[in-house]
Amino acid sequence: DVVMTQTPVSLSVSLGGQVSISCRSSQSLVHNNGNTYLSWYLQKPGQSPQLLIYKVSNRFSGISDRFSGSGSGTDFTLKISRVEPDDLGVYYCGQGTQYPRTFGGGTKLELK
Amino acid sequence: VQLVESGGGLVQPGKSLKLSCSASGFTFSSYGMHWIRQAPGKGLDWVAYISSSSGTVYADAVKGRFTISRDNAKNTLYLQLNSLKSEDTAIYYCATTLFDYWGQGVMVTVSS
């Protein structure tokens, strides 16, 4: 199974600030078709997860350009700029390259 | 797109339960679907996938106990949970193929 490791586990940020979350996979996430199926999700308190970024760097419909994804192979990063109150919650990375699908342990973003 | 889960509840260890996920706003029959669960206070745990042609894949932890199925005429996804264990206690979410849309989740509690 592909193990997804996220760091840090928690993050404190001031409103308007910028943060980065790292996600590393135990195996390359490059699919046989050449695509890299690494996604980022945000789970706000009491809600179900929502897709932010797919295939490393593509923002999902309606997602602010304050969210950006980058990386390749086994190392990936989510950056959030100009943090707003609605950005708070737990962020997860997830891989869709092979089964079983796996997710990182989560990074909790809190206000400083 | 709307996904609405139902069928959760409190069940004794060793018993069974059947979850449903009613889909609307897209051509359900054309898409694969997932079940994902989240134990209280924990991260995301992928459970099973069914393709548009009803091919299935399961996580090792549920293989042989859970069965994913679909009824395209009713636009509904199912998860049959048998031989339930306390460690199956979680919120169960259904989600579309690329995890781009998630339901609100349904709670399953396994306890005597």
Side-chain angles (χ1 to χ4, degrees), chain A residues 7-21:
Chain A
T7 54
V9 172
S10 64
L11 210 43
S12 293
V13 63
S14 300
L15 293 178
Q18 177 174 297
V19 296
S20 293
I21 300 171

Side-chain angles (χ1 to χ4, degrees), chain A residues 29-103:
Chain A
L29 298 185
V30 180
H31 193 275
N32 289 340
N33 64 14
N35 290 316
T36 301
Y37 294 100
L38 184 282
S39 298
W40 291 95
Y41 308 87
L42 166 60
Q43 186 172 31
K44 299 177 184 178
Q47 296 186 20
S48 51
Q50 61 179 104
L51 177 64
L52 300 174
I53 302 283
Y54 64 97
K55 287 197 288 184
V56 181
S57 60
N58 296 275
R59 278 185 296 275
F60 187 53
S61 175
I63 300 303
S64 169
D65 60 4
R66 297 184 298 102
F67 293 88
S68 63
S70 62
S72 62
T74 61
D75 285 327
F76 305 93
T77 301
L78 175 70
K79 288 185 179 177
I80 312 167
S81 61
R82 305 184 306 279
V83 169
E84 299 178 356
D86 197 43
D87 299 338
L88 304 182
V90 180
Y91 288 80
Y92 294 95
C93 60
Q95 65 84 16
T97 296
Q98 60 176 269
Y99 284 99
R101 300 295 195 239
T102 48
F103 298 90

Side-chain angles (χ1 to χ4, degrees), chain B residues 77-88:
Chain B
L77 173 73
Y78 301 101
L79 186 67
Q80 177 70 45
L81 294 72
N82 296 334
S83 304
L84 280 161
K85 307 174 182 180
S86 58
E87 52 263 43
D88 296 319

Side-chain angles (χ1 to χ4, degrees), chain A residues 1 37 39 41 43 47-51 60-61 92 95-96 99-105, chain B residues 34 36 38 42-46 49 57-60 93 98-105:
Chain A
D1 299 2
Y37 294 100
S39 298
Y41 308 87
Q43 186 172 31
Q47 296 186 20
S48 51
Q50 61 179 104
L51 177 64
F60 187 53
S61 175
Y92 294 95
Q95 65 84 16
Y99 284 99
R101 300 295 195 239
T102 48
F103 298 90
Chain B
H34 299 272
I36 308 100
Q38 186 171 36
K42 302 297 184 182
L44 302 172
D45 182 31
W46 175 81
Y49 170 75
V57 190
Y58 295 92
D60 285 347
Y93 299 100
L98 299 180
F99 301 102
D100 38 355
Y101 296 97
W102 297 61
Q104 86 287 353

Side-chain angles (χ1 to χ4, degrees), chain B residues 21-84:
Chain B
C21 169
S22 178
S24 60
F26 65 106
T27 307
F28 177 73
S29 60
S30 298
Y31 290 89
M33 297 288 295
H34 299 272
W35 285 100
I36 308 100
R37 66 185 179 182
Q38 186 171 36
K42 302 297 184 182
L44 302 172
D45 182 31
W46 175 81
V47 173
Y49 170 75
I50 185 166
S51 70
S52 57
S53 56
S54 294
T56 58
V57 190
Y58 295 92
D60 285 347
V62 308
K63 203 173 295 182
R65 299 189 300 123
F66 291 8
T67 302
I68 188 172
S69 62
R70 64 192 301 158
D71 185 335
N72 290 336
K74 294 183 178 180
N75 286 344
T76 302
L77 173 73
Y78 301 101
L79 186 67
Q80 177 70 45
L81 294 72
N82 296 334
S83 304
L84 280 161

